[in-house]
Amino acid sequence: MTLYWEEEMETLPRVGLESIQLKRLQHLVARVYKTVAPYREKMDAAGVKPEDIQSLTDLAKLPFTVKEDLRDNYPFGLFSVPMDQVVRVHASSGTTGKPTVVGYTKKDIETWSGLMARALTCAGATSSDMVHNAYGYGLFTGGLGAHYGIERLGATVIPVSGGNTKRQITIMKDFKSTVLLATPSYALNLAEAMESLGVDPKSLSLRVGVFGAEPWSENMRDEVERKLNIKAVDIYGLSEVMGPGVSMQCLEGNKGMHIFEDHFLPEIIDPDTGEVLPPGEKGELVFTTLTKEAFPIIRYRTKDISRLMYDTCACGRTLVRMEKVTGRTDDMLIIRGVNVFPSQIEHVLMGIEGVEPHYQIVVSREGNMDTMAVEVEVSEDIFSDEIKTLENLTKRIQADIKDMLGVTCKVKLVEHKTIQRSEGKAQRVIDNRKL
Amino acid sequence: MRVEQIAVFLENKSGRLAEITAKLAEENINIRALSVADTADFGILRLIVDNVEKAKATLKANGFTVGITNVIAVEVADKTGGLAGVLKTIEKEKLNVEYMYAFVNKSGENAVLIFRFDDMDKAIESLQRTGYTILSGEEICAL
Ligand SMILES: [Zn+2]
């Protein structure tokens, strides 16, 4: 039997849902036009007025919002309420330049908590659960966003945040944590630490893991499920739209995450032309918030690649599902006609014991052929004094990449710390093709 | 009777080997034996030094990836047939050699063969039984 948090909204017939969406959208556009100058200027330049939104498809008339718009209006220029109504801000670290800042009114926090509770319910969590929240607390939306949702659900929250893995495992054991919230890579860290500490995951009370905040592959899901002896489900969100709880995988359905469409309107566009794509096609995910007060956003280009699935789900929810994000538009590479995302390479590497995620992808063109080389730093864990062992490692990485992406690449081991680390994020791709 | 060997990962870039020997010399670490095994893309430098811990710390501090492995040092007379005799024993005892290298001691009378076997215990037992002298780390440094 499916558990719902707000059964009526989650199972609304599409027609009913769409009429609510339209009403909310019209209200939102009118309010944003009135209160946020940069939106008004963009709409005026595009020659579109709030009254032009007569149906949901009219959304396409509105200009897109991109990350640069947030930076240009740093810190509070896109807020739609006076600051005395803002009760919280969050910020995401920019890889280049200024961070982007978002804000929430009291009601926004309530909405968010409710949606997060809804998301946790999708994962089968109830008020009797002991929820181990290992998302980072702070400016990042993950920790606090999840925290409020867990409390709203009525479950017990362990605000453990990230780090100190050994202590986390002790807490998990002693407090009998039943639900784990973390990034998938941290979940793997936990699993590996348990292994080295001799803690059998079967001796824990963990039942389900809610993982998000970074793209992760199905391979990684299998690995986490096997290593932690849990069911691993996907949560999606981004601070520009709200934070975690924009969409959530259900336990009953096989794939995809239900978008909480009564609050967020999704579109899939062609990342090159900006054109809206028909249902089911793969492209860039775009979100418009329907109920946010402090920081509403119109047609925000997430750069995440996904697909919308409107077929009915076994859980009974009528909310559309988005496919697991497989990559981002800004780092997609096309190698011999195959789309390759650095994140996919990263997941392959992270699946190999001892390999650290310090790597670089070098793309070149030899004659008419694209070639891809993956350079991997040699850590002490994988280093061996025997050539054979290192050669076997490069062969294994090569085979795993071929399995996952269908692309043959060269794997080159490089010395420790030779791959540039800038502001904590390495430059992942060097494209030497002269196109 | 095992000797600790330092192994260092090297990309095939010019100057790296010279850099390593210079860093070790600066710290007064004496290199007794050295060999480089390489492929088209990378190499592994193997070193026998008089102060393994200090050498490891020095190289790590300079950003190198370093590992310590145990090897066996066999002393043989430096004359024709010296190596052949050991190899014969190895073959007879069905020992698997992962790699080997050699150096000649200062007096020039004896050669020291450095071996890494897949089964080190069995190798030590076999070589000692057939009368070979296996050197300790201190003995190598004293040569
Ligand atoms: Zn479902």
Side-chain angles (χ1 to χ4, degrees):
Chain A
M1 197 192 71
T2 308
L3 288 175
Y4 301 105
W5 179 251
E6 291 162 282
E7 183 165 358
E8 198 198 327
M9 287 315 258
E10 294 175 58
T11 59
L12 213 56
R14 298 290 310 175
V15 184
L17 176 67
E18 283 169 15
S19 91
I20 290 174
Q21 286 178 321
L22 179 61
K23 228 173 273 164
R24 289 182 172 177
L25 178 67
Q26 288 170 326
H27 179 75
L28 172 107
V29 174
R31 184 163 59 84
V32 167
Y33 187 82
K34 207 168 84 186
T35 54
V36 190
Y39 276 111
R40 183 166 57 243
E41 286 154 19
K42 271 178 117 171
M43 282 172 63
D44 286 345
V48 50
K49 294 271 173 257
E51 309 80 82
D52 296 335
I53 308 300
Q54 292 302 322
S55 71
L56 286 177
T57 49
D58 289 335
L59 179 64
K61 293 177 179 167
L62 297 169
F64 290 114
T65 305
V66 293
K67 188 115 183 160
E68 287 66 43
D69 293 318
L70 275 71
R71 291 210 185 97
D72 292 347
N73 294 288
Y74 174 87
F76 309 134
L78 293 179
F79 284 23
S80 140
V81 297
M83 285 310 285
D84 63 354
Q85 290 179 37
V86 174
V87 299
R88 194 197 294 173
V89 289
H90 277 290
S92 65
S93 61
T95 42
T96 49
K98 293 172 190 163
T100 53
V101 184
V102 296
Y104 305 80
T105 62
K106 194 160 179 288
K107 185 164 168 255
D108 286 334
I109 297 288
E110 277 165 20
T111 307
W112 187 10
S113 309
L115 290 178
M116 197 57 218
R118 193 196 276 188
L120 290 163
T121 308
C122 281
T126 68
S127 60
S128 11
D129 274 303
M130 179 67 79
V131 186
H132 192 98
N133 186 15
Y135 282 120
Y137 280 65
L139 282 175
F140 166 60
T141 48
L144 282 167
H147 183 102
Y148 275 63
I150 301 161
E151 289 191 346
R152 171 64 73 85
L153 180 67
T156 311
V157 57
I158 310 171
V160 67
S161 196
N164 203 340
T165 306
K166 213 171 148 182
R167 190 185 62 180
Q168 297 227 4
I169 294 168
T170 309
I171 287 176
M172 240 177 227
K173 225 166 27 182
D174 296 349
F175 296 8
K176 299 194 165 45
S177 313
T178 53
V179 180
L180 169 66
L181 268 60
T183 59
S185 50
Y186 191 65
L188 273 183
N189 265 355
L190 280 168
E192 275 152 25
M194 281 180 203
E195 221 174 321
S196 66
L197 291 169
V199 175
D200 181 1
K202 290 198 180 82
S203 71
L204 301 176
S205 312
L206 279 187
R207 182 180 83 241
V208 64
V210 176
F211 304 124
E214 64 189 19
W216 52 308
S217 59
E218 287 297 334
N219 283 354
M220 204 159 159
R221 186 203 300 273
D222 294 343
E223 195 177 340
V224 174
E225 289 193 333
R226 186 167 37 84
K227 286 192 166 167
L228 285 176
N229 190 39
I230 55 170
K231 168 104 182 136
V233 287
D234 230 324
I235 188 165
Y236 176 86
L238 61 172
S239 65
E240 294 86 345
V241 176
M242 182 179 75
V246 172
S247 70
M248 177 72 200
Q249 189 193 338
C250 62
L251 279 186
E252 295 81 2
N254 267 330
K255 269 183 185 139
M257 294 161 271
H258 290 285
I259 297 174
F260 299 152
E261 286 178 283
D262 43 337
H263 296 272
F264 313 104
L265 200 52
E267 296 170 275
I268 293 287
I269 62 160
D270 178 326
D272 297 324
T273 64
E275 212 177 303
V276 178
L277 296 174
E281 282 197 31
K282 209 168 184 154
E284 182 179 350
L285 192 55
V286 171
F287 278 110
T288 299
T289 61
L290 294 175
T291 52
K292 286 265 293 291
E293 292 184 336
F295 191 86
I297 203 159
I298 294 177
R299 302 195 86 200
Y300 182 66
R301 294 187 61 159
T302 64
K303 294 189 174 179
D304 287 329
I305 307 270
S306 183
R307 198 161 69 83
L308 297 179
M309 299 175 282
Y310 287 92
D311 53 322
T312 51
C313 185
C315 72
R317 289 181 183 84
T318 49
L319 304 165
V320 69
R321 282 166 300 148
M322 58 179 267
E323 194 179 65
K324 199 167 179 33
V325 172
T326 45
R328 293 178 53 80
T329 55
D330 50 359
D331 59 15
M332 186 176 85
L333 285 165
I334 301 173
I335 311 287
R336 279 170 257 147
V338 179
N339 293 348
V340 173
F341 294 100
S343 56
Q344 294 172 304
I345 307 272
E346 183 163 327
H347 292 310
V348 170
L349 295 177
M350 273 167 35
I352 297 172
E353 192 153 332
V355 175
E356 289 175 4
H358 300 306
Y359 66 95
Q360 197 160 48
I361 300 163
V362 182
V363 188
S364 321
R365 179 160 287 183
E366 287 165 18
N368 283 320
M369 272 289 265
D370 290 338
T371 61
M372 177 171 78
V374 178
E375 299 186 347
V376 183
E377 279 188 11
V378 172
S379 65
E380 238 172 74
D381 285 345
I382 58 171
F383 178 51
S384 158
D385 60 320
E386 291 174 26
I387 296 271
K388 190 174 67 186
T389 312
L390 292 179
E391 282 186 336
N392 286 342
L393 177 71
T394 59
K395 277 183 205 145
R396 156 130 196 246
I397 296 173
Q398 206 171 11
D400 286 1
I401 290 174
K402 169 96 184 162
D403 271 357
M404 175 148 175
L405 302 172
V407 171
T408 306
C409 69
K410 183 179 157 63
V411 174
K412 184 174 185 251
L413 298 176
V414 297
E415 286 175 25
H416 189 51
K417 293 206 168 142
T418 47
I419 290 167
Q420 192 196 336
R421 291 153 172 76
S422 59
E423 287 177 49
K425 273 205 174 179
Q427 190 190 352
R428 290 296 180 215
V429 178
I430 295 179
D431 199 336
N432 293 324
R433 290 177 293 188
K434 308 266 181 291
L435 299 177
Chain B
M1 294 306 271
R2 297 176 183 206
V3 177
E4 284 192 320
Q5 167 196 264
I6 294 225
V8 189
F9 180 81
L10 287 179
E11 267 176 73
N12 291 344
K13 287 192 290 203
S14 62
R16 294 300 269 168
L17 186 57
E19 204 182 322
I20 289 173
T21 52
K23 293 286 182 215
L24 293 178
E26 265 169 42
E27 297 294 324
N28 292 318
I29 296 161
N30 219 330
I31 299 174
R32 296 299 325 207
L34 170 158
S35 103
V36 179
D38 58 0
T39 69
D41 290 322
F42 66 87
I44 297 168
L45 170 67
R46 302 178 184 126
L47 295 168
I48 306 287
V49 295
D50 59 356
N51 189 337
V52 175
E53 285 310 318
K54 196 172 168 193
K56 185 179 177 187
T58 302
L59 294 173
K60 273 187 79 163
N62 282 285
F64 289 97
T65 303
V66 184
I68 292 181
T69 27
N70 288 315
V71 292
I72 297 174
V74 183
E75 192 176 33
V76 293
D78 185 23
K79 58 177 194 220
T80 321
L83 174 63
V86 180
L87 294 179
K88 212 183 222 165
T89 304
I90 288 169
E91 201 191 326
K92 217 168 68 198
E93 298 285 330
K94 296 194 166 54
L95 300 173
N96 277 322
V97 180
E98 300 289 356
Y99 57 79
M100 70 150 294
Y101 53 102
F103 68 100
V104 177
N105 72 5
K106 280 178 191 144
S107 66
E109 288 162 12
N110 288 331
V112 178
L113 308 176
I114 306 286
F115 283 100
R116 169 84 194 166
F117 294 100
D118 66 345
D119 187 341
M120 296 287 277
D121 292 329
K122 185 180 164 200
I124 292 173
E125 189 273 319
S126 307
L127 289 165
Q128 277 177 334
R129 182 162 35 78
T130 41
Y132 283 99
T133 310
I134 295 180
L135 302 178
S136 67
E138 294 81 47
E139 284 168 324
I140 288 190
C141 294
L143 284 178

